[in-house]
Amino acid sequence: MSATRPSSSVAGPAEPGNETLTVPLLVVLAVVVVAGLLFGYDQGVISGALNGIKQHFTLTSILVEVVTSWVTLGALGGSLLGGYLADRYGRRRAVLIAGLLFILGALLQALAPDITLLVLGRLAVGFGVGVAAVAAPLYGSELAPTAHRGRFVAAYQLAITIGIFLAYLVNAGLAENDAWRWMLGISVVPGILLVLIGALGVESPRWLVKVNRRDEARTVLGKVWPGEDTTARLTAIEHALDEEAGTASWAEVFNPAWRKPLMIALGLAVFQQITGINAIIYYANQIFAAAGFSTPAMQTTATTWAVGGVNVAATFIAIAFIDKLGRRPLLLVGLIGMGVALLVVGMAFLSIDGQPAGDGQAPGGPTTAGIVTLVALVVFIVSFAFSLGPVTWTVINEIFPGQVRGRAVAVATAVNWGSAFLVSQFFLTLIGAIGTSWTFWLFAFFCAVGWIWVYRTVPETKGRTLEEIERSWTGQASLATG
Ligand code: BGC
């Protein structure tokens, strides 16, 4: 553990600290936001579309699982592809490719005459989501002014939550009409938006310098921060890149020199998922059913507002505080809230007649234990939404040296999707095996382990330039932990 050193004592030129949000920067922000919407909408929509799909195609249970989970698998592959595309063709072009994949996938799903094309559509959408999930936050974090970087990536998380919320609303609104094709097809709109806005955007100057297109980088810097000392910014970027040897390969991501940032990114990626967020996002209806919300309408309302709406609202806390209080305090406070809430949900389920989630419904309205569950889930969602949700993506996108950033972010994002896949796939099985209470206590236990790990390992990166963070791994600068 080391003390914070003022940035002025750090070797190498620092970037000027202008914080103005110019039009090109707002376009970057718009790209980040639309990519987040796509990601979130896809997390949330399938639960609503599935019933109609099952009836239309008379699916076996294996095919139901394939239709549900292949977006996640596609996203896992897409995030690795996204890292390659972002390093090879640039952050902006990778975003454009994601948008095209997304449009293709959404159309295939909406028009699919048979199950094979539907599954292909799911896979294409998944690839699009994966590529966007890597390229867009990377694009945002490389272009954001240092003082707003946390907020830029937190805006991505905000958009994810809005996407999930919109999907819940669309599911509720279209459920009666068996309009699954519309539910899935609607996502063509953000896909088109992503391509249009991405086409207007500038390329990341950090990437341009990396591929030796310094003149273009200078032009972009001039556009993004007009009237400023472009040379100073360029020099700071060049200085950081000059210290890096060789060209990035996948192997370079695992170079021992970058072990620390890799461990930090992978740790956050895994803890974000194994503390249970997507078990709740996907299975909220069943959890509320088991907790005594007896009618589907009550369950959908609880899910839409207590999970979907609260998730959106609480993300604003992160946007307000991530660059002021910093990443560590948000993580440490949020993990305590999540852990306590999960302990309480586990206790509430002890008294819910031993009914496993997904099976039973108590007669009448929600019981006391049901209300306790609802409140505890709200506390959980709020705590996640200002901590592990946004901070994970912010840190993953700022912690790596420029040379390996694209691919390293891709590896961390793929690990995040892999963990999400495992948790959502095995949540119900786990409940069957160890019971609902112990399943939530297991998530709570991971919060406790996560807290200790964050306290000891994750450095504070608030207010540091990407170049300073980079130099901290080679001992030329230091970041505070503990
Ligand atoms: C996570 C998603 C999750 C969402 C919920 C994101 O940061 O990566 O897996 O569904 O937050 O808001």
Side-chain angles (χ1 to χ4, degrees), residues 39-40 43-44 156-158 160-162 164 269 272-273 277-279 281-282 307 311-312 315 381 384-385 387-393 416-417 420:
F39 179 153
Q43 293 275 92
Y156 172 67
Q157 174 71 18
L158 177 68
I160 296 177
T161 62
I162 294 176
I164 295 173
Q272 193 202 46
Q273 295 299 329
I277 182 66
N278 282 315
I281 299 279
Y282 289 136
V307 178
N311 197 12
V312 175
T315 307
I381 295 286
F384 175 88
S387 65
L388 265 185
V391 176
T392 297
W393 295 116
N416 182 269
W417 281 107

PDB file of all heavy atoms in Angstrom, residues 39-40 43-44 156-158 160-162 164 269 272-273 277-279 281-282 307 311-312 315 381 384-385 387-393 416-417 420, ligand 1:
ATOM      1  N   PHE A  39     -26.954  -2.701 -24.817  1.00  0.00           N
ATOM      2  CA  PHE A  39     -26.524  -3.719 -23.857  1.00  0.00           C
ATOM      3  C   PHE A  39     -27.684  -4.010 -22.890  1.00  0.00           C
ATOM      4  O   PHE A  39     -28.122  -5.158 -22.705  1.00  0.00           O
ATOM      5  CB  PHE A  39     -25.290  -3.149 -23.148  1.00  0.00           C
ATOM      6  CG  PHE A  39     -24.629  -3.982 -22.080  1.00  0.00           C
ATOM      7  CD1 PHE A  39     -23.275  -3.813 -21.820  1.00  0.00           C
ATOM      8  CD2 PHE A  39     -25.320  -4.895 -21.312  1.00  0.00           C
ATOM      9  CE1 PHE A  39     -22.628  -4.527 -20.834  1.00  0.00           C
ATOM     10  CE2 PHE A  39     -24.690  -5.619 -20.316  1.00  0.00           C
ATOM     11  CZ  PHE A  39     -23.347  -5.433 -20.070  1.00  0.00           C
ATOM     12  N   GLY A  40     -28.220  -2.951 -22.285  1.00  0.00           N
ATOM     13  CA  GLY A  40     -29.245  -3.110 -21.261  1.00  0.00           C
ATOM     14  C   GLY A  40     -30.539  -3.680 -21.818  1.00  0.00           C
ATOM     15  O   GLY A  40     -31.143  -4.583 -21.228  1.00  0.00           O
ATOM     16  N   GLN A  43     -30.270  -7.278 -22.099  1.00  0.00           N
ATOM     17  CA  GLN A  43     -30.289  -7.996 -20.820  1.00  0.00           C
ATOM     18  C   GLN A  43     -31.732  -8.208 -20.374  1.00  0.00           C
ATOM     19  O   GLN A  43     -32.060  -9.209 -19.778  1.00  0.00           O
ATOM     20  CB  GLN A  43     -29.587  -7.174 -19.722  1.00  0.00           C
ATOM     21  CG  GLN A  43     -28.120  -6.966 -19.879  1.00  0.00           C
ATOM     22  CD  GLN A  43     -27.357  -8.134 -19.306  1.00  0.00           C
ATOM     23  OE1 GLN A  43     -27.049  -9.082 -20.034  1.00  0.00           O
ATOM     24  NE2 GLN A  43     -27.031  -8.095 -18.048  1.00  0.00           N
ATOM     25  N   GLY A  44     -32.571  -7.200 -20.647  1.00  0.00           N
ATOM     26  CA  GLY A  44     -33.905  -7.218 -20.056  1.00  0.00           C
ATOM     27  C   GLY A  44     -35.005  -7.811 -20.923  1.00  0.00           C
ATOM     28  O   GLY A  44     -36.029  -8.258 -20.414  1.00  0.00           O
ATOM     29  N   TYR A 156     -22.408   5.305 -19.250  1.00  0.00           N
ATOM     30  CA  TYR A 156     -22.598   4.024 -19.936  1.00  0.00           C
ATOM     31  C   TYR A 156     -23.445   3.102 -19.059  1.00  0.00           C
ATOM     32  O   TYR A 156     -24.415   2.495 -19.514  1.00  0.00           O
ATOM     33  CB  TYR A 156     -21.218   3.425 -20.208  1.00  0.00           C
ATOM     34  CG  TYR A 156     -21.202   2.025 -20.733  1.00  0.00           C
ATOM     35  CD1 TYR A 156     -21.686   1.719 -21.996  1.00  0.00           C
ATOM     36  CD2 TYR A 156     -20.669   0.987 -19.971  1.00  0.00           C
ATOM     37  CE1 TYR A 156     -21.648   0.424 -22.477  1.00  0.00           C
ATOM     38  CE2 TYR A 156     -20.613  -0.305 -20.449  1.00  0.00           C
ATOM     39  CZ  TYR A 156     -21.106  -0.581 -21.697  1.00  0.00           C
ATOM     40  OH  TYR A 156     -21.065  -1.861 -22.170  1.00  0.00           O
ATOM     41  N   GLN A 157     -23.073   3.040 -17.779  1.00  0.00           N
ATOM     42  CA  GLN A 157     -23.851   2.205 -16.854  1.00  0.00           C
ATOM     43  C   GLN A 157     -25.286   2.721 -16.746  1.00  0.00           C
ATOM     44  O   GLN A 157     -26.234   1.949 -16.717  1.00  0.00           O
ATOM     45  CB  GLN A 157     -23.181   2.191 -15.469  1.00  0.00           C
ATOM     46  CG  GLN A 157     -23.981   1.479 -14.390  1.00  0.00           C
ATOM     47  CD  GLN A 157     -24.017  -0.023 -14.592  1.00  0.00           C
ATOM     48  OE1 GLN A 157     -23.202  -0.573 -15.322  1.00  0.00           O
ATOM     49  NE2 GLN A 157     -24.976  -0.696 -13.977  1.00  0.00           N
ATOM     50  N   LEU A 158     -25.434   4.054 -16.706  1.00  0.00           N
ATOM     51  CA  LEU A 158     -26.784   4.626 -16.617  1.00  0.00           C
ATOM     52  C   LEU A 158     -27.605   4.155 -17.815  1.00  0.00           C
ATOM     53  O   LEU A 158     -28.762   3.750 -17.686  1.00  0.00           O
ATOM     54  CB  LEU A 158     -26.715   6.157 -16.590  1.00  0.00           C
ATOM     55  CG  LEU A 158     -28.075   6.848 -16.560  1.00  0.00           C
ATOM     56  CD1 LEU A 158     -28.780   6.592 -15.226  1.00  0.00           C
ATOM     57  CD2 LEU A 158     -27.953   8.351 -16.784  1.00  0.00           C
ATOM     58  N   ILE A 160     -27.148   1.479 -19.587  1.00  0.00           N
ATOM     59  CA  ILE A 160     -27.471   0.043 -19.445  1.00  0.00           C
ATOM     60  C   ILE A 160     -28.743  -0.098 -18.607  1.00  0.00           C
ATOM     61  O   ILE A 160     -29.675  -0.823 -18.960  1.00  0.00           O
ATOM     62  CB  ILE A 160     -26.318  -0.736 -18.757  1.00  0.00           C
ATOM     63  CG1 ILE A 160     -25.053  -0.728 -19.612  1.00  0.00           C
ATOM     64  CG2 ILE A 160     -26.744  -2.171 -18.451  1.00  0.00           C
ATOM     65  CD1 ILE A 160     -23.866  -1.428 -18.956  1.00  0.00           C
ATOM     66  N   THR A 161     -28.779   0.645 -17.497  1.00  0.00           N
ATOM     67  CA  THR A 161     -29.937   0.495 -16.607  1.00  0.00           C
ATOM     68  C   THR A 161     -31.203   1.017 -17.291  1.00  0.00           C
ATOM     69  O   THR A 161     -32.275   0.441 -17.131  1.00  0.00           O
ATOM     70  CB  THR A 161     -29.725   1.238 -15.273  1.00  0.00           C
ATOM     71  OG1 THR A 161     -29.568   2.633 -15.529  1.00  0.00           O
ATOM     72  CG2 THR A 161     -28.530   0.719 -14.524  1.00  0.00           C
ATOM     73  N   ILE A 162     -31.075   2.096 -18.073  1.00  0.00           N
ATOM     74  CA  ILE A 162     -32.255   2.603 -18.785  1.00  0.00           C
ATOM     75  C   ILE A 162     -32.711   1.557 -19.807  1.00  0.00           C
ATOM     76  O   ILE A 162     -33.899   1.298 -19.987  1.00  0.00           O
ATOM     77  CB  ILE A 162     -31.962   3.957 -19.474  1.00  0.00           C
ATOM     78  CG1 ILE A 162     -31.696   5.020 -18.408  1.00  0.00           C
ATOM     79  CG2 ILE A 162     -33.127   4.392 -20.372  1.00  0.00           C
ATOM     80  CD1 ILE A 162     -31.297   6.385 -18.964  1.00  0.00           C
ATOM     81  N   ILE A 164     -32.382  -1.696 -19.597  1.00  0.00           N
ATOM     82  CA  ILE A 164     -33.073  -2.789 -18.885  1.00  0.00           C
ATOM     83  C   ILE A 164     -34.491  -2.346 -18.521  1.00  0.00           C
ATOM     84  O   ILE A 164     -35.474  -3.068 -18.721  1.00  0.00           O
ATOM     85  CB  ILE A 164     -32.308  -3.182 -17.599  1.00  0.00           C
ATOM     86  CG1 ILE A 164     -30.931  -3.762 -17.936  1.00  0.00           C
ATOM     87  CG2 ILE A 164     -33.114  -4.173 -16.756  1.00  0.00           C
ATOM     88  CD1 ILE A 164     -30.039  -4.022 -16.725  1.00  0.00           C
ATOM     89  N   ALA A 269     -14.478  -7.574 -12.627  1.00  0.00           N
ATOM     90  CA  ALA A 269     -15.401  -8.206 -13.585  1.00  0.00           C
ATOM     91  C   ALA A 269     -16.116  -9.390 -12.937  1.00  0.00           C
ATOM     92  O   ALA A 269     -17.324  -9.577 -13.113  1.00  0.00           O
ATOM     93  CB  ALA A 269     -14.643  -8.655 -14.834  1.00  0.00           C
ATOM     94  N   GLN A 272     -18.376  -8.324  -9.810  1.00  0.00           N
ATOM     95  CA  GLN A 272     -19.610  -7.643 -10.229  1.00  0.00           C
ATOM     96  C   GLN A 272     -20.719  -8.666 -10.485  1.00  0.00           C
ATOM     97  O   GLN A 272     -21.891  -8.407 -10.252  1.00  0.00           O
ATOM     98  CB  GLN A 272     -19.363  -6.825 -11.508  1.00  0.00           C
ATOM     99  CG  GLN A 272     -20.513  -5.875 -11.798  1.00  0.00           C
ATOM    100  CD  GLN A 272     -20.603  -5.433 -13.238  1.00  0.00           C
ATOM    101  OE1 GLN A 272     -20.501  -6.238 -14.161  1.00  0.00           O
ATOM    102  NE2 GLN A 272     -20.773  -4.141 -13.439  1.00  0.00           N
ATOM    103  N   GLN A 273     -20.332  -9.851 -10.961  1.00  0.00           N
ATOM    104  CA  GLN A 273     -21.348 -10.846 -11.311  1.00  0.00           C
ATOM    105  C   GLN A 273     -21.631 -11.837 -10.186  1.00  0.00           C
ATOM    106  O   GLN A 273     -22.794 -12.177  -9.956  1.00  0.00           O
ATOM    107  CB  GLN A 273     -20.930 -11.592 -12.584  1.00  0.00           C
ATOM    108  CG  GLN A 273     -20.867 -10.698 -13.813  1.00  0.00           C
ATOM    109  CD  GLN A 273     -22.210 -10.063 -14.162  1.00  0.00           C
ATOM    110  OE1 GLN A 273     -23.268 -10.644 -13.922  1.00  0.00           O
ATOM    111  NE2 GLN A 273     -22.176  -8.859 -14.708  1.00  0.00           N
ATOM    112  N   ILE A 277     -26.056  -9.774  -9.158  1.00  0.00           N
ATOM    113  CA  ILE A 277     -26.919  -8.793  -9.810  1.00  0.00           C
ATOM    114  C   ILE A 277     -27.829  -9.405 -10.881  1.00  0.00           C
ATOM    115  O   ILE A 277     -29.029  -9.142 -10.917  1.00  0.00           O
ATOM    116  CB  ILE A 277     -26.106  -7.598 -10.398  1.00  0.00           C
ATOM    117  CG1 ILE A 277     -27.037  -6.565 -11.029  1.00  0.00           C
ATOM    118  CG2 ILE A 277     -25.081  -8.031 -11.439  1.00  0.00           C
ATOM    119  CD1 ILE A 277     -27.930  -5.843 -10.110  1.00  0.00           C
ATOM    120  N   ASN A 278     -27.261 -10.245 -11.746  1.00  0.00           N
ATOM    121  CA  ASN A 278     -28.104 -10.713 -12.849  1.00  0.00           C
ATOM    122  C   ASN A 278     -29.070 -11.821 -12.451  1.00  0.00           C
ATOM    123  O   ASN A 278     -30.083 -12.024 -13.118  1.00  0.00           O
ATOM    124  CB  ASN A 278     -27.255 -11.098 -14.064  1.00  0.00           C
ATOM    125  CG  ASN A 278     -26.828  -9.847 -14.805  1.00  0.00           C
ATOM    126  OD1 ASN A 278     -27.632  -8.947 -15.024  1.00  0.00           O
ATOM    127  ND2 ASN A 278     -25.550  -9.750 -15.143  1.00  0.00           N
ATOM    128  N   ALA A 279     -28.761 -12.515 -11.340  1.00  0.00           N
ATOM    129  CA  ALA A 279     -29.748 -13.456 -10.821  1.00  0.00           C
ATOM    130  C   ALA A 279     -31.004 -12.654 -10.510  1.00  0.00           C
ATOM    131  O   ALA A 279     -32.132 -13.097 -10.764  1.00  0.00           O
ATOM    132  CB  ALA A 279     -29.217 -14.136  -9.574  1.00  0.00           C
ATOM    133  N   ILE A 281     -31.761  -9.466 -11.765  1.00  0.00           N
ATOM    134  CA  ILE A 281     -32.303  -8.840 -12.987  1.00  0.00           C
ATOM    135  C   ILE A 281     -33.146  -9.846 -13.781  1.00  0.00           C
ATOM    136  O   ILE A 281     -34.233  -9.545 -14.231  1.00  0.00           O
ATOM    137  CB  ILE A 281     -31.150  -8.317 -13.894  1.00  0.00           C
ATOM    138  CG1 ILE A 281     -30.312  -7.256 -13.179  1.00  0.00           C
ATOM    139  CG2 ILE A 281     -31.657  -7.843 -15.254  1.00  0.00           C
ATOM    140  CD1 ILE A 281     -30.880  -5.864 -13.170  1.00  0.00           C
ATOM    141  N   TYR A 282     -32.625 -11.068 -13.942  1.00  0.00           N
ATOM    142  CA  TYR A 282     -33.343 -12.056 -14.764  1.00  0.00           C
ATOM    143  C   TYR A 282     -34.519 -12.698 -14.024  1.00  0.00           C
ATOM    144  O   TYR A 282     -35.532 -13.014 -14.616  1.00  0.00           O
ATOM    145  CB  TYR A 282     -32.406 -13.189 -15.202  1.00  0.00           C
ATOM    146  CG  TYR A 282     -31.361 -12.818 -16.233  1.00  0.00           C
ATOM    147  CD1 TYR A 282     -30.049 -13.241 -16.094  1.00  0.00           C
ATOM    148  CD2 TYR A 282     -31.693 -12.060 -17.343  1.00  0.00           C
ATOM    149  CE1 TYR A 282     -29.084 -12.906 -17.031  1.00  0.00           C
ATOM    150  CE2 TYR A 282     -30.735 -11.727 -18.279  1.00  0.00           C
ATOM    151  CZ  TYR A 282     -29.432 -12.154 -18.121  1.00  0.00           C
ATOM    152  OH  TYR A 282     -28.487 -11.830 -19.043  1.00  0.00           O
ATOM    153  N   VAL A 307     -36.878  -2.992  -9.206  1.00  0.00           N
ATOM    154  CA  VAL A 307     -35.579  -3.377  -9.760  1.00  0.00           C
ATOM    155  C   VAL A 307     -35.194  -2.422 -10.896  1.00  0.00           C
ATOM    156  O   VAL A 307     -34.193  -1.710 -10.816  1.00  0.00           O
ATOM    157  CB  VAL A 307     -35.583  -4.849 -10.245  1.00  0.00           C
ATOM    158  CG1 VAL A 307     -34.246  -5.210 -10.870  1.00  0.00           C
ATOM    159  CG2 VAL A 307     -35.896  -5.791  -9.095  1.00  0.00           C
ATOM    160  N   ASN A 311     -32.906   0.939 -10.218  1.00  0.00           N
ATOM    161  CA  ASN A 311     -31.570   0.776 -10.800  1.00  0.00           C
ATOM    162  C   ASN A 311     -31.159   2.032 -11.581  1.00  0.00           C
ATOM    163  O   ASN A 311     -30.039   2.527 -11.461  1.00  0.00           O
ATOM    164  CB  ASN A 311     -31.604  -0.454 -11.720  1.00  0.00           C
ATOM    165  CG  ASN A 311     -30.238  -0.990 -12.068  1.00  0.00           C
ATOM    166  OD1 ASN A 311     -29.230  -0.604 -11.475  1.00  0.00           O
ATOM    167  ND2 ASN A 311     -30.186  -1.884 -13.043  1.00  0.00           N
ATOM    168  N   VAL A 312     -32.104   2.561 -12.363  1.00  0.00           N
ATOM    169  CA  VAL A 312     -31.817   3.778 -13.128  1.00  0.00           C
ATOM    170  C   VAL A 312     -31.562   4.945 -12.165  1.00  0.00           C
ATOM    171  O   VAL A 312     -30.526   5.621 -12.237  1.00  0.00           O
ATOM    172  CB  VAL A 312     -32.996   4.160 -14.052  1.00  0.00           C
ATOM    173  CG1 VAL A 312     -32.717   5.486 -14.750  1.00  0.00           C
ATOM    174  CG2 VAL A 312     -33.259   3.072 -15.085  1.00  0.00           C
ATOM    175  N   THR A 315     -28.298   5.054 -10.196  1.00  0.00           N
ATOM    176  CA  THR A 315     -27.056   5.238 -10.961  1.00  0.00           C
ATOM    177  C   THR A 315     -26.648   6.718 -10.982  1.00  0.00           C
ATOM    178  O   THR A 315     -25.469   7.045 -11.117  1.00  0.00           O
ATOM    179  CB  THR A 315     -27.212   4.669 -12.384  1.00  0.00           C
ATOM    180  OG1 THR A 315     -27.665   3.327 -12.263  1.00  0.00           O
ATOM    181  CG2 THR A 315     -25.904   4.671 -13.145  1.00  0.00           C
ATOM    182  N   ILE A 381     -30.179  -3.216  -5.011  1.00  0.00           N
ATOM    183  CA  ILE A 381     -30.062  -2.591  -6.338  1.00  0.00           C
ATOM    184  C   ILE A 381     -29.443  -1.202  -6.221  1.00  0.00           C
ATOM    185  O   ILE A 381     -28.542  -0.840  -6.987  1.00  0.00           O
ATOM    186  CB  ILE A 381     -31.451  -2.506  -7.027  1.00  0.00           C
ATOM    187  CG1 ILE A 381     -32.000  -3.902  -7.328  1.00  0.00           C
ATOM    188  CG2 ILE A 381     -31.403  -1.664  -8.293  1.00  0.00           C
ATOM    189  CD1 ILE A 381     -31.335  -4.616  -8.480  1.00  0.00           C
ATOM    190  N   PHE A 384     -25.727  -1.576  -5.548  1.00  0.00           N
ATOM    191  CA  PHE A 384     -24.999  -2.008  -6.753  1.00  0.00           C
ATOM    192  C   PHE A 384     -24.886  -0.850  -7.747  1.00  0.00           C
ATOM    193  O   PHE A 384     -23.845  -0.622  -8.358  1.00  0.00           O
ATOM    194  CB  PHE A 384     -25.729  -3.187  -7.415  1.00  0.00           C
ATOM    195  CG  PHE A 384     -25.120  -3.615  -8.735  1.00  0.00           C
ATOM    196  CD1 PHE A 384     -24.092  -4.546  -8.780  1.00  0.00           C
ATOM    197  CD2 PHE A 384     -25.564  -3.060  -9.936  1.00  0.00           C
ATOM    198  CE1 PHE A 384     -23.519  -4.920  -9.995  1.00  0.00           C
ATOM    199  CE2 PHE A 384     -24.995  -3.427 -11.152  1.00  0.00           C
ATOM    200  CZ  PHE A 384     -23.971  -4.360 -11.185  1.00  0.00           C
ATOM    201  N   ALA A 385     -25.996  -0.115  -7.872  1.00  0.00           N
ATOM    202  CA  ALA A 385     -26.071   0.889  -8.938  1.00  0.00           C
ATOM    203  C   ALA A 385     -25.110   2.053  -8.726  1.00  0.00           C
ATOM    204  O   ALA A 385     -24.727   2.702  -9.685  1.00  0.00           O
ATOM    205  CB  ALA A 385     -27.500   1.403  -9.070  1.00  0.00           C
ATOM    206  N   SER A 387     -22.178   1.527  -7.091  1.00  0.00           N
ATOM    207  CA  SER A 387     -20.827   1.010  -6.815  1.00  0.00           C
ATOM    208  C   SER A 387     -20.357   0.038  -7.899  1.00  0.00           C
ATOM    209  O   SER A 387     -19.876   0.458  -8.952  1.00  0.00           O
ATOM    210  CB  SER A 387     -20.803   0.360  -5.430  1.00  0.00           C
ATOM    211  OG  SER A 387     -21.639  -0.770  -5.391  1.00  0.00           O
ATOM    212  N   LEU A 388     -20.522  -1.248  -7.635  1.00  0.00           N
ATOM    213  CA  LEU A 388     -19.962  -2.245  -8.557  1.00  0.00           C
ATOM    214  C   LEU A 388     -20.451  -2.101  -9.995  1.00  0.00           C
ATOM    215  O   LEU A 388     -19.741  -2.462 -10.935  1.00  0.00           O
ATOM    216  CB  LEU A 388     -20.315  -3.649  -8.069  1.00  0.00           C
ATOM    217  CG  LEU A 388     -19.290  -4.377  -7.219  1.00  0.00           C
ATOM    218  CD1 LEU A 388     -19.762  -5.795  -6.933  1.00  0.00           C
ATOM    219  CD2 LEU A 388     -17.920  -4.428  -7.879  1.00  0.00           C
ATOM    220  N   GLY A 389     -21.669  -1.593 -10.182  1.00  0.00           N
ATOM    221  CA  GLY A 389     -22.184  -1.430 -11.554  1.00  0.00           C
ATOM    222  C   GLY A 389     -21.285  -0.495 -12.350  1.00  0.00           C
ATOM    223  O   GLY A 389     -20.544  -0.919 -13.241  1.00  0.00           O
ATOM    224  N   PRO A 390     -21.303   0.802 -12.034  1.00  0.00           N
ATOM    225  CA  PRO A 390     -20.524   1.745 -12.827  1.00  0.00           C
ATOM    226  C   PRO A 390     -19.021   1.688 -12.580  1.00  0.00           C
ATOM    227  O   PRO A 390     -18.236   1.851 -13.515  1.00  0.00           O
ATOM    228  CB  PRO A 390     -21.065   3.114 -12.388  1.00  0.00           C
ATOM    229  CG  PRO A 390     -21.704   2.875 -11.065  1.00  0.00           C
ATOM    230  CD  PRO A 390     -22.199   1.469 -11.070  1.00  0.00           C
ATOM    231  N   VAL A 391     -18.618   1.464 -11.326  1.00  0.00           N
ATOM    232  CA  VAL A 391     -17.176   1.563 -11.032  1.00  0.00           C
ATOM    233  C   VAL A 391     -16.405   0.459 -11.762  1.00  0.00           C
ATOM    234  O   VAL A 391     -15.300   0.684 -12.263  1.00  0.00           O
ATOM    235  CB  VAL A 391     -16.915   1.533  -9.506  1.00  0.00           C
ATOM    236  CG1 VAL A 391     -15.423   1.541  -9.215  1.00  0.00           C
ATOM    237  CG2 VAL A 391     -17.589   2.729  -8.825  1.00  0.00           C
ATOM    238  N   THR A 392     -16.999  -0.726 -11.862  1.00  0.00           N
ATOM    239  CA  THR A 392     -16.325  -1.828 -12.573  1.00  0.00           C
ATOM    240  C   THR A 392     -15.953  -1.377 -13.984  1.00  0.00           C
ATOM    241  O   THR A 392     -14.804  -1.513 -14.413  1.00  0.00           O
ATOM    242  CB  THR A 392     -17.265  -3.051 -12.647  1.00  0.00           C
ATOM    243  OG1 THR A 392     -17.512  -3.485 -11.322  1.00  0.00           O
ATOM    244  CG2 THR A 392     -16.655  -4.183 -13.463  1.00  0.00           C
ATOM    245  N   TRP A 393     -16.927  -0.818 -14.716  1.00  0.00           N
ATOM    246  CA  TRP A 393     -16.658  -0.452 -16.117  1.00  0.00           C
ATOM    247  C   TRP A 393     -15.700   0.731 -16.200  1.00  0.00           C
ATOM    248  O   TRP A 393     -14.858   0.795 -17.099  1.00  0.00           O
ATOM    249  CB  TRP A 393     -17.964  -0.177 -16.863  1.00  0.00           C
ATOM    250  CG  TRP A 393     -18.787  -1.420 -16.971  1.00  0.00           C
ATOM    251  CD1 TRP A 393     -20.008  -1.647 -16.420  1.00  0.00           C
ATOM    252  CD2 TRP A 393     -18.422  -2.644 -17.616  1.00  0.00           C
ATOM    253  NE1 TRP A 393     -20.439  -2.926 -16.699  1.00  0.00           N
ATOM    254  CE2 TRP A 393     -19.481  -3.549 -17.421  1.00  0.00           C
ATOM    255  CE3 TRP A 393     -17.291  -3.071 -18.333  1.00  0.00           C
ATOM    256  CZ2 TRP A 393     -19.449  -4.851 -17.924  1.00  0.00           C
ATOM    257  CZ3 TRP A 393     -17.269  -4.370 -18.834  1.00  0.00           C
ATOM    258  CH2 TRP A 393     -18.336  -5.234 -18.632  1.00  0.00           C
ATOM    259  N   ASN A 416     -16.373 -10.954 -17.644  1.00  0.00           N
ATOM    260  CA  ASN A 416     -17.610 -10.457 -17.032  1.00  0.00           C
ATOM    261  C   ASN A 416     -18.829 -11.172 -17.633  1.00  0.00           C
ATOM    262  O   ASN A 416     -19.701 -11.658 -16.916  1.00  0.00           O
ATOM    263  CB  ASN A 416     -17.692  -8.945 -17.232  1.00  0.00           C
ATOM    264  CG  ASN A 416     -18.910  -8.324 -16.586  1.00  0.00           C
ATOM    265  OD1 ASN A 416     -19.959  -8.190 -17.203  1.00  0.00           O
ATOM    266  ND2 ASN A 416     -18.783  -7.943 -15.313  1.00  0.00           N
ATOM    267  N   TRP A 417     -18.875 -11.282 -18.959  1.00  0.00           N
ATOM    268  CA  TRP A 417     -20.000 -11.979 -19.614  1.00  0.00           C
ATOM    269  C   TRP A 417     -20.031 -13.451 -19.243  1.00  0.00           C
ATOM    270  O   TRP A 417     -21.083 -14.033 -19.050  1.00  0.00           O
ATOM    271  CB  TRP A 417     -19.905 -11.843 -21.130  1.00  0.00           C
ATOM    272  CG  TRP A 417     -20.382 -10.523 -21.651  1.00  0.00           C
ATOM    273  CD1 TRP A 417     -19.596  -9.509 -22.131  1.00  0.00           C
ATOM    274  CD2 TRP A 417     -21.728 -10.062 -21.748  1.00  0.00           C
ATOM    275  NE1 TRP A 417     -20.377  -8.457 -22.519  1.00  0.00           N
ATOM    276  CE2 TRP A 417     -21.697  -8.767 -22.296  1.00  0.00           C
ATOM    277  CE3 TRP A 417     -22.957 -10.619 -21.421  1.00  0.00           C
ATOM    278  CZ2 TRP A 417     -22.836  -8.024 -22.528  1.00  0.00           C
ATOM    279  CZ3 TRP A 417     -24.097  -9.874 -21.656  1.00  0.00           C
ATOM    280  CH2 TRP A 417     -24.025  -8.592 -22.191  1.00  0.00           C
ATOM    281  N   ALA A 420     -21.442 -13.716 -15.878  1.00  0.00           N
ATOM    282  CA  ALA A 420     -22.885 -13.441 -15.928  1.00  0.00           C
ATOM    283  C   ALA A 420     -23.626 -14.681 -16.441  1.00  0.00           C
ATOM    284  O   ALA A 420     -24.678 -15.065 -15.923  1.00  0.00           O
ATOM    285  CB  ALA A 420     -23.166 -12.260 -16.856  1.00  0.00           C
TER     286      ALA A 420
HETATM  287  C1  BGC B   1     -23.561  -5.326 -15.525  1.00  0.00           C
HETATM  288  C2  BGC B   1     -24.706  -6.106 -16.076  1.00  0.00           C
HETATM  289  C3  BGC B   1     -25.940  -5.843 -15.262  1.00  0.00           C
HETATM  290  C4  BGC B   1     -26.204  -4.354 -15.167  1.00  0.00           C
HETATM  291  C5  BGC B   1     -27.338  -4.061 -14.231  1.00  0.00           C
HETATM  292  C6  BGC B   1     -23.913  -3.875 -15.520  1.00  0.00           C
HETATM  293  O1  BGC B   1     -22.840  -3.132 -15.039  1.00  0.00           O
HETATM  294  O2  BGC B   1     -22.387  -5.538 -16.281  1.00  0.00           O
HETATM  295  O3  BGC B   1     -24.373  -7.468 -16.090  1.00  0.00           O
HETATM  296  O4  BGC B   1     -27.054  -6.479 -15.811  1.00  0.00           O
HETATM  297  O5  BGC B   1     -25.055  -3.676 -14.716  1.00  0.00           O
HETATM  298  O6  BGC B   1     -27.569  -2.698 -14.101  1.00  0.00           O
END
